Amino acid sequence: VRRLPFKRGFTNIFRVDYQEVNVDMLEARFDNGAVVNGESLVEAGLVRDANKPIAVLGRGDLTKKLTVHAHRITKSANEKIEKAGGSVEKLELKVTGALATVKKLRKVDYERLYGDDK
């Protein structure tokens, strides 16, 4: 074991890596009444991939009314969005575990899970 230090440790294949977005980022990049989803976050430059899970965190303040669609939302972010007059919709993780992080889905499998509308 001492000769193979790279073999130590544990890698959880069921870990889901979320793309994190804070409330202050939403305040800076979106207009009042906007719909915030994966595609709009990619266009705004806040996340890299619209197909990976998104988490909204509660750092900062929000004054704009936004409709947020995300896979995970913290309590503080939820309170701030609803206090500003917006709404929150929690999306379901359709692909979890090793498929969500390690393996790439084939296009056929992706369409079967998510449909044509992505």
Side-chain angles (χ1 to χ4, degrees):
V1 171
R2 288 171 56 187
R3 292 182 184 173
L4 302 173
F6 62 91
K7 292 286 187 181
R8 293 186 205 145
F10 172 73
T11 302
N12 186 0
I13 64 169
F14 297 106
R15 175 183 171 168
V16 178
D17 288 326
Y18 289 93
Q19 301 178 93
E20 297 173 348
V21 178
N22 280 295
V23 172
D24 59 353
M25 296 175 182
L26 299 178
E27 174 74 22
R29 300 283 175 103
F30 290 97
D31 296 328
N32 194 14
V35 176
V36 179
N37 55 20
E39 290 81 20
S40 64
L41 288 169
V42 170
E43 290 173 8
L46 295 176
V47 297
R48 291 180 182 241
D49 190 359
N51 298 324
K52 290 187 178 178
I54 297 168
V56 179
L57 306 178
R59 184 187 73 197
D61 293 324
L62 184 67
T63 59
K64 299 174 183 174
K65 181 179 177 181
L66 300 175
T67 304
V68 179
H69 303 277
H71 296 92
R72 192 180 78 184
I73 301 167
T74 61
K75 286 182 184 179
S76 61
N78 193 2
E79 291 171 359
K80 289 177 184 181
I81 292 168
E82 291 179 352
K83 183 180 176 185
S87 62
V88 175
E89 180 182 339
K90 186 174 180 190
L91 302 175
E92 178 184 343
L93 279 174
K94 294 186 180 180
V95 180
T96 59
L99 288 177
T101 58
V102 178
K103 298 179 184 176
K104 276 281 207 188
L105 282 179
R106 294 182 306 178
K107 189 173 183 179
V108 175
D109 294 333
Y110 185 82
E111 289 176 359
R112 179 177 52 83
L113 287 171
Y114 288 98
D116 293 332
D117 58 347
K118 292 186 181 182

